[in-house]
Amino acid sequence: MAAMLQPQIILLKEGTDTSQGKPQLISNINACMVVADAVRSTLGPRGMDKLIHDEKGNTTISNDGATIMKLLDIVHPAAKILVDIAKSQDSEVGDGTTTVVLLAGEFLKEAKPFIEDGVHPQNLIRSYRTAAYLAINKIKELAVSIEGKSLEEKKSLLAKCAATTLSSKLIGGEKEFFATMVVDAVMAIGNDDRLNLIGIKKVPGGTMRDSFFVNGVAFKKTFSYAGFEQQPKQFVNPKILLLNIELELKSEKENAEIRLSDPLQYQSIVDAEWNIIYDKLDKCVKSGAKIVLSRLAIGDLATQYFADRDIFCAGRVTEEDLKRVAAATGGTVQTTVNNILDEVLGSCELFEEKQVGNDRFNIFSGCPSGQTATIVLRGGADQFIEEAERSLHDAIMIVRRALKNSTVVAGGGAIDMEISRFLRQHARTIAGKSQLFINSFAKALEIIPRQLCDNAGFDATDVLNKLRQKHALPSGEGARYGVDINTGGIADSFANFVWEPAVVKINAINAAAEAACLILSVDETVKNPKSESAQGEAAASAMGRGRGGAFRGRGRGMRRR
C-alpha cells in the first residue's frame, strides 16, 4: 500500500511529449516511407518532375532528389535523416540522390513487418550492416576499370557516363550534345578539384542547342562608362592586366579639411588629384597590357583614356570571374599599378566581345594555363535554364568522379539485380534469423529496376521476372542485364552504354544502409513543444518587466494605482 502512495517522480519539464517503443519506431518508418514516396516518381529517364512553389512565390521545377528534398522543408525529425543523406550524396558524388532516398525507404519498408512481429531492431541492424558490406565488395568485384585507355577512348567513355546521368534530366533529349560539353569542361580544369573553375552562365532565349562551350572564361559585360563603345572589341594574343583598385577620381571618404593661406594654392591641390589618377593610368598603358580588368570601378575618365589608346577595360568584374581569368590566363591580380612586371600579366589567344541573346559577353579563349572552362546555357523559361544548370552540375560531378575512381558499373538496374541475386544466394548459407533479414535487404535492392519500369509505364512484375531469370544463369552472362527503357524489355546495359561510376552505387548503398540502421536504432522521441512558447513567454515577461519598472520601484507611502 505504501508503495502505491509514493509520489510520481517528475524528470522532464511539464508538457514534454515522449513516445517510445515499437509504435514510435513504426511511426518513424512510416514517415520515411512517405518521404521516399515523394521522390519515387522522379527516378530514371522516364521520371516525372516536381514543381515546388515556396512561400516567397518562387517556383522550381526539378527531378534532382537533393533539390526536391531541400525545398520540401521536412519537419519530421526521423525523416530529416533522409534529407541529410540526399545532401551528402549530392556533395560527395553529385548524382544518385533519388536512388539513395528510395533505397533507404525500401530498407525500412522491408524491416517494418519484422519490427511488428517483435524482432529486436539490433538484430536487423547487424544483418543490414553485413549485407551492405557484402554488397559493396560485390560492386567492387563487378566494376570495370577505364584506366590505361587513350585520351580519345577515355573521353568517349566519360561522355557515356555523363549521358547516362543526363538521360533522367529535363535536358535528356540533348544528352549527347551536353555530355561532350561536360567532358570537355572537366578535362579543361585537369586535376584541380575546385568546381568553381567551371563557370555556368545562364542567358534566357534561344534553344538548348544554342548553348556553347568556351575553353576559357566568358562573363557578361560589366557596367560600362562613357567612351566604352570606342574601345576595340577583339584582340589576338593580348596581354591582360588584372587589378583590384579603383581607377577613378574619388572624393575624400572622411571629412578632410585643408586650410589655405593663398587662394592660388587651391589649383595645385586639384592638379595633384588629377596627376595621381593620370599617373596610375599611364602606368597601366606602359605595362603593355591591351585588356585591363578590375574588381572595383573603372570610371569614365579612365574608360575614355584607355579608349583613346586602343585598350579594352572592364570594371566591377565579380571576384569569381576575376579569379577564373587569373587561373586561365596565368595572370596575377595586382593591388597596385607600380612596378608592373611582365610575369604578372596574363595572356590568351583570342579575346572578343560577342552578343549572346540580349547580353554582351566578354570571351577569353585559347588560354595557356587552360585551368578553367565556361558553359553558356540558353533556353526558354528561367526555371528550365535553372534545372539545366542543376543537371549539368550532376553530370560534371559524375565525370570528375569517374576520372578519379576510374571504375564503372552497368546502370539501368543491372547492378542492383546482380547484388540482389548474390545476397539471396549468400543468405541461404546462413543459419538463423539473419537469413531472413539479408533476404529482405536483397529484395529492397530490386526497388531501383522496379521503379524504373513503373515510371516508364511498363509492367514491372513481368520485367523483373525476366531480369531474375537472366541474372540466375549459371554462366554469369546475365550480370549486366538491366531494364531497357526504349522497348520495355531487358537489355545488356553495358553494351548499350548505360554506365555509372561504381562510386555512385557504393556511396548510395552505404548511405542508405546507414540511414536505415540509424532510424531503426531510435526507440524514443522526446519532444518539448513548450520550448518555443517558453522563449516567447520569457521575452514577453522581460518586456513586462521593462514596462513595469515604475511599479517595481514604488517607495513607501506611494499611492497604489
Side-chain angles (χ1 to χ4, degrees), residues 403-425:
L403 256 180
K404 275 196 171 162
N405 315 12
S406 50
T407 52
V408 293
V409 291
I415 188 78
D416 307 272
M417 287 305 288
E418 186 58 21
I419 303 165
S420 179
R421 180 201 61 78
F422 164 71
L423 287 177
R424 281 178 207 270
Q425 275 187 346

mmCIF file of all heavy atoms in Angstrom, residues 403-425:
data_model
loop_
_atom_site.group_PDB
_atom_site.id
_atom_site.type_symbol
_atom_site.label_atom_id
_atom_site.label_comp_id
_atom_site.label_asym_id
_atom_site.label_seq_id
_atom_site.Cartn_x
_atom_site.Cartn_y
_atom_site.Cartn_z
ATOM 1 N N LEU A 403 36.689 10.059 -63.488
ATOM 2 C CA LEU A 403 38.103 10.305 -63.809
ATOM 3 C C LEU A 403 38.998 9.891 -62.654
ATOM 4 O O LEU A 403 40.064 9.311 -62.840
ATOM 5 C CB LEU A 403 38.315 11.798 -64.092
ATOM 6 C CG LEU A 403 38.468 12.236 -65.546
ATOM 7 C CD1 LEU A 403 38.677 13.734 -65.621
ATOM 8 C CD2 LEU A 403 39.634 11.535 -66.244
ATOM 9 N N LYS A 404 38.531 10.198 -61.424
ATOM 10 C CA LYS A 404 39.351 9.899 -60.244
ATOM 11 C C LYS A 404 39.304 8.427 -59.888
ATOM 12 O O LYS A 404 40.331 7.790 -59.699
ATOM 13 C CB LYS A 404 38.856 10.730 -59.057
ATOM 14 C CG LYS A 404 39.463 12.110 -59.021
ATOM 15 C CD LYS A 404 39.256 12.722 -57.667
ATOM 16 C CE LYS A 404 40.040 14.011 -57.558
ATOM 17 N NZ LYS A 404 39.573 14.826 -56.475
ATOM 18 N N ASN A 405 38.085 7.896 -59.727
ATOM 19 C CA ASN A 405 37.937 6.462 -59.412
ATOM 20 C C ASN A 405 37.478 5.827 -60.713
ATOM 21 O O ASN A 405 36.299 5.757 -60.969
ATOM 22 C CB ASN A 405 36.855 6.218 -58.349
ATOM 23 C CG ASN A 405 36.969 7.182 -57.198
ATOM 24 O OD1 ASN A 405 37.688 8.147 -57.259
ATOM 25 N ND2 ASN A 405 36.257 6.930 -56.149
ATOM 26 N N SER A 406 38.426 5.401 -61.493
ATOM 27 C CA SER A 406 38.089 5.064 -62.881
ATOM 28 C C SER A 406 37.480 3.673 -63.038
ATOM 29 O O SER A 406 37.951 2.854 -63.806
ATOM 30 C CB SER A 406 39.332 5.186 -63.757
ATOM 31 O OG SER A 406 40.391 4.477 -63.155
ATOM 32 N N THR A 407 36.424 3.390 -62.256
ATOM 33 C CA THR A 407 35.708 2.119 -62.450
ATOM 34 C C THR A 407 34.232 2.424 -62.664
ATOM 35 O O THR A 407 33.672 3.297 -61.998
ATOM 36 C CB THR A 407 35.858 1.185 -61.222
ATOM 37 O OG1 THR A 407 35.495 1.927 -60.054
ATOM 38 C CG2 THR A 407 37.275 0.670 -61.098
ATOM 39 N N VAL A 408 33.628 1.705 -63.608
ATOM 40 C CA VAL A 408 32.207 1.921 -63.894
ATOM 41 C C VAL A 408 31.446 0.606 -63.778
ATOM 42 O O VAL A 408 32.038 -0.474 -63.898
ATOM 43 C CB VAL A 408 31.991 2.522 -65.316
ATOM 44 C CG1 VAL A 408 32.538 3.924 -65.402
ATOM 45 C CG2 VAL A 408 32.603 1.642 -66.390
ATOM 46 N N VAL A 409 30.141 0.711 -63.522
ATOM 47 C CA VAL A 409 29.285 -0.481 -63.473
ATOM 48 C C VAL A 409 28.105 -0.265 -64.414
ATOM 49 O O VAL A 409 27.835 0.852 -64.833
ATOM 50 C CB VAL A 409 28.765 -0.749 -62.035
ATOM 51 C CG1 VAL A 409 29.879 -1.174 -61.114
ATOM 52 C CG2 VAL A 409 28.044 0.467 -61.473
ATOM 53 N N ALA A 410 27.396 -1.351 -64.726
ATOM 54 C CA ALA A 410 26.245 -1.258 -65.628
ATOM 55 C C ALA A 410 25.082 -0.592 -64.903
ATOM 56 O O ALA A 410 24.815 -0.886 -63.743
ATOM 57 C CB ALA A 410 25.847 -2.650 -66.091
ATOM 58 N N GLY A 411 24.409 0.347 -65.586
ATOM 59 C CA GLY A 411 23.265 1.048 -64.984
ATOM 60 C C GLY A 411 21.967 0.347 -65.335
ATOM 61 O O GLY A 411 21.953 -0.848 -65.647
ATOM 62 N N GLY A 412 20.873 1.104 -65.304
ATOM 63 C CA GLY A 412 19.562 0.542 -65.676
ATOM 64 C C GLY A 412 19.076 -0.548 -64.741
ATOM 65 O O GLY A 412 18.307 -1.423 -65.139
ATOM 66 N N GLY A 413 19.542 -0.532 -63.480
ATOM 67 C CA GLY A 413 19.089 -1.541 -62.514
ATOM 68 C C GLY A 413 19.846 -2.851 -62.604
ATOM 69 O O GLY A 413 19.565 -3.790 -61.847
ATOM 70 N N ALA A 414 20.829 -2.959 -63.524
ATOM 71 C CA ALA A 414 21.557 -4.227 -63.705
ATOM 72 C C ALA A 414 22.377 -4.575 -62.470
ATOM 73 O O ALA A 414 22.321 -5.707 -61.959
ATOM 74 C CB ALA A 414 22.468 -4.132 -64.929
ATOM 75 N N ILE A 415 23.113 -3.600 -61.962
ATOM 76 C CA ILE A 415 23.998 -3.870 -60.820
ATOM 77 C C ILE A 415 23.160 -4.193 -59.580
ATOM 78 O O ILE A 415 23.518 -5.061 -58.779
ATOM 79 C CB ILE A 415 24.969 -2.681 -60.570
ATOM 80 C CG1 ILE A 415 26.029 -3.026 -59.525
ATOM 81 C CG2 ILE A 415 24.257 -1.410 -60.157
ATOM 82 C CD1 ILE A 415 27.136 -3.884 -60.042
ATOM 83 N N ASP A 416 21.990 -3.545 -59.447
ATOM 84 C CA ASP A 416 21.123 -3.793 -58.287
ATOM 85 C C ASP A 416 20.589 -5.221 -58.307
ATOM 86 O O ASP A 416 20.540 -5.892 -57.273
ATOM 87 C CB ASP A 416 19.954 -2.803 -58.285
ATOM 88 C CG ASP A 416 20.425 -1.360 -58.386
ATOM 89 O OD1 ASP A 416 20.697 -0.760 -57.344
ATOM 90 O OD2 ASP A 416 20.556 -0.850 -59.515
ATOM 91 N N MET A 417 20.187 -5.680 -59.500
ATOM 92 C CA MET A 417 19.662 -7.053 -59.630
ATOM 93 C C MET A 417 20.751 -8.083 -59.341
ATOM 94 O O MET A 417 20.504 -9.108 -58.703
ATOM 95 C CB MET A 417 19.110 -7.282 -61.051
ATOM 96 C CG MET A 417 17.813 -6.602 -61.336
ATOM 97 S SD MET A 417 16.481 -6.991 -60.192
ATOM 98 C CE MET A 417 16.076 -8.662 -60.630
ATOM 99 N N GLU A 418 21.965 -7.781 -59.798
ATOM 100 C CA GLU A 418 23.074 -8.724 -59.604
ATOM 101 C C GLU A 418 23.433 -8.835 -58.114
ATOM 102 O O GLU A 418 23.662 -9.933 -57.606
ATOM 103 C CB GLU A 418 24.293 -8.267 -60.433
ATOM 104 C CG GLU A 418 25.463 -9.237 -60.431
ATOM 105 C CD GLU A 418 25.121 -10.640 -60.937
ATOM 106 O OE1 GLU A 418 24.116 -10.830 -61.655
ATOM 107 O OE2 GLU A 418 25.863 -11.572 -60.586
ATOM 108 N N ILE A 419 23.459 -7.695 -57.413
ATOM 109 C CA ILE A 419 23.777 -7.744 -55.967
ATOM 110 C C ILE A 419 22.649 -8.454 -55.227
ATOM 111 O O ILE A 419 22.878 -9.228 -54.302
ATOM 112 C CB ILE A 419 23.953 -6.318 -55.375
ATOM 113 C CG1 ILE A 419 25.038 -5.563 -56.114
ATOM 114 C CG2 ILE A 419 24.315 -6.379 -53.911
ATOM 115 C CD1 ILE A 419 25.017 -4.088 -55.839
ATOM 116 N N SER A 420 21.409 -8.181 -55.658
ATOM 117 C CA SER A 420 20.248 -8.811 -55.029
ATOM 118 C C SER A 420 20.355 -10.344 -55.151
ATOM 119 O O SER A 420 20.161 -11.071 -54.172
ATOM 120 C CB SER A 420 18.985 -8.302 -55.704
ATOM 121 O OG SER A 420 17.859 -8.901 -55.149
ATOM 122 N N ARG A 421 20.704 -10.805 -56.360
ATOM 123 C CA ARG A 421 20.855 -12.263 -56.582
ATOM 124 C C ARG A 421 21.968 -12.825 -55.699
ATOM 125 O O ARG A 421 21.828 -13.859 -55.055
ATOM 126 C CB ARG A 421 21.191 -12.511 -58.057
ATOM 127 C CG ARG A 421 21.368 -13.980 -58.426
ATOM 128 C CD ARG A 421 22.162 -14.150 -59.702
ATOM 129 N NE ARG A 421 23.511 -13.598 -59.623
ATOM 130 C CZ ARG A 421 24.532 -14.209 -59.014
ATOM 131 N NH1 ARG A 421 24.354 -15.365 -58.411
ATOM 132 N NH2 ARG A 421 25.721 -13.651 -58.996
ATOM 133 N N PHE A 422 23.082 -12.104 -55.641
ATOM 134 C CA PHE A 422 24.240 -12.550 -54.874
ATOM 135 C C PHE A 422 23.896 -12.643 -53.375
ATOM 136 O O PHE A 422 24.238 -13.620 -52.702
ATOM 137 C CB PHE A 422 25.400 -11.568 -55.105
ATOM 138 C CG PHE A 422 26.514 -11.678 -54.108
ATOM 139 C CD1 PHE A 422 27.371 -12.780 -54.123
ATOM 140 C CD2 PHE A 422 26.718 -10.696 -53.144
ATOM 141 C CE1 PHE A 422 28.396 -12.888 -53.191
ATOM 142 C CE2 PHE A 422 27.736 -10.794 -52.221
ATOM 143 C CZ PHE A 422 28.579 -11.895 -52.242
ATOM 144 N N LEU A 423 23.155 -11.635 -52.858
ATOM 145 C CA LEU A 423 22.801 -11.640 -51.429
ATOM 146 C C LEU A 423 21.801 -12.754 -51.106
ATOM 147 O O LEU A 423 21.867 -13.363 -50.041
ATOM 148 C CB LEU A 423 22.231 -10.281 -51.015
ATOM 149 C CG LEU A 423 23.241 -9.123 -50.898
ATOM 150 C CD1 LEU A 423 22.537 -7.817 -50.557
ATOM 151 C CD2 LEU A 423 24.307 -9.411 -49.850
ATOM 152 N N ARG A 424 20.869 -13.018 -52.030
ATOM 153 C CA ARG A 424 19.902 -14.108 -51.803
ATOM 154 C C ARG A 424 20.640 -15.447 -51.690
ATOM 155 O O ARG A 424 20.321 -16.287 -50.853
ATOM 156 C CB ARG A 424 18.895 -14.183 -52.954
ATOM 157 C CG ARG A 424 17.793 -13.147 -52.881
ATOM 158 C CD ARG A 424 16.903 -13.295 -54.113
ATOM 159 N NE ARG A 424 16.251 -12.050 -54.478
ATOM 160 C CZ ARG A 424 15.065 -11.662 -54.027
ATOM 161 N NH1 ARG A 424 14.410 -12.438 -53.181
ATOM 162 N NH2 ARG A 424 14.537 -10.535 -54.406
ATOM 163 N N GLN A 425 21.617 -15.636 -52.581
ATOM 164 C CA GLN A 425 22.405 -16.887 -52.547
ATOM 165 C C GLN A 425 23.196 -16.981 -51.244
ATOM 166 O O GLN A 425 23.268 -18.036 -50.622
ATOM 167 C CB GLN A 425 23.384 -16.916 -53.726
ATOM 168 C CG GLN A 425 22.740 -17.453 -54.990
ATOM 169 C CD GLN A 425 23.784 -17.642 -56.106
ATOM 170 O OE1 GLN A 425 24.901 -17.131 -56.010
ATOM 171 N NE2 GLN A 425 23.416 -18.345 -57.145
#
